[in-house]
Amino acid sequence: MAVKQKRVLLTGATGFVGRAVQQRIVADGQYDLTIAVRRAVPVANVVRVVQVPELTAQTDWSAALQGVDVVVHSAARVHVMNETSADPLAEFRKVNVDGTLALGRQAVAAGVQRFVFVSSIKVNGEGTELGRPYTADALANPSDPYGVSKYEAEQALLALAHETGLEVTI
């Protein structure tokens, strides 16, 4: 009897980290992979593509989440080199906190078992003392809007996990 492959939804699959994750998942050949992208992109024929125009609290993930067992969420608003917003933190929160939590809630509603959140070392701060690397026990100390928003997303997902039983890995 054949074992059913886990179905994985990967967000941010065309980004720096997401591209590497996508390549690894495809190379492993053990998962049925769906990627969510903003614009159509050429991909390996072993990957299903779903277009999702943006990552906000209003994004409808229902098509992307159909039959999914695991979400690997690497999409985010990242370092903006020429920020033009009067309130950069609010802009980061729209995507990285509100958009992530909306995806998490919809994942729960769709029966997803595990949510893997690709966060950032920026949650821990801007650097460590020489010879004192960050550890799993390090306290959060984000100092820029990106780091703050990723930390807030972590906390929101952990609360969602506590409320619903969704397995969250950060």
Side-chain angles (χ1 to χ4, degrees):
M1 181 172 157
V3 176
K4 176 187 172 265
Q5 285 186 314
K6 290 270 188 198
R7 191 158 192 195
V8 176
L9 169 65
L10 172 62
T11 70
T14 59
F16 179 72
V17 172
R19 242 188 337 259
V21 172
Q22 177 185 345
Q23 289 170 356
R24 179 57 189 249
I25 291 172
V26 169
D28 282 352
Q30 298 179 18
Y31 304 96
D32 179 3
L33 180 62
T34 298
I35 63 170
V37 297
R38 283 181 281 172
R39 293 175 292 287
V41 294
V43 294
N45 60 358
V46 295
V47 177
R48 184 173 81 106
V49 179
V50 174
Q51 270 190 274
V52 178
E54 60 187 350
L55 176 59
T56 68
Q58 292 73 40
T59 303
D60 178 2
W61 291 93
S62 56
L65 288 167
Q66 286 182 343
V68 167
D69 302 298
V70 178
V71 171
V72 178
H73 182 47
S74 70
R77 183 177 201 254
V78 295
H79 317 289
V80 178
M81 302 316 249
N82 296 310
E83 181 65 67
T84 58
S85 171
D87 188 353
L89 181 55
E91 295 304 312
F92 278 100
R93 282 178 171 149
K94 284 179 189 174
V95 174
N96 297 347
V97 181
D98 301 340
T100 295
L101 190 54
L103 173 57
R105 286 184 179 133
Q106 290 178 54
V108 169
V112 170
Q113 301 160 356
R114 176 183 284 174
F115 193 104
V116 178
F117 179 59
V118 179
S119 189
S120 171
I121 195 66
K122 298 270 269 177
V123 165
N124 293 99
E126 292 301 314
T128 64
E129 295 176 31
L130 185 61
R132 304 190 95 195
Y134 293 124
T135 67
D137 299 325
L139 296 176
N141 187 27
S143 63
D144 69 358
Y146 171 70
V148 169
S149 70
K150 292 297 266 189
Y151 174 70
E152 290 175 352
E154 289 180 5
Q155 298 308 299
L157 286 171
L158 291 173
L160 180 66
H162 182 72
E163 294 168 16
T164 65
L166 176 67
E167 183 180 328
V168 171
T169 302
I170 299 170

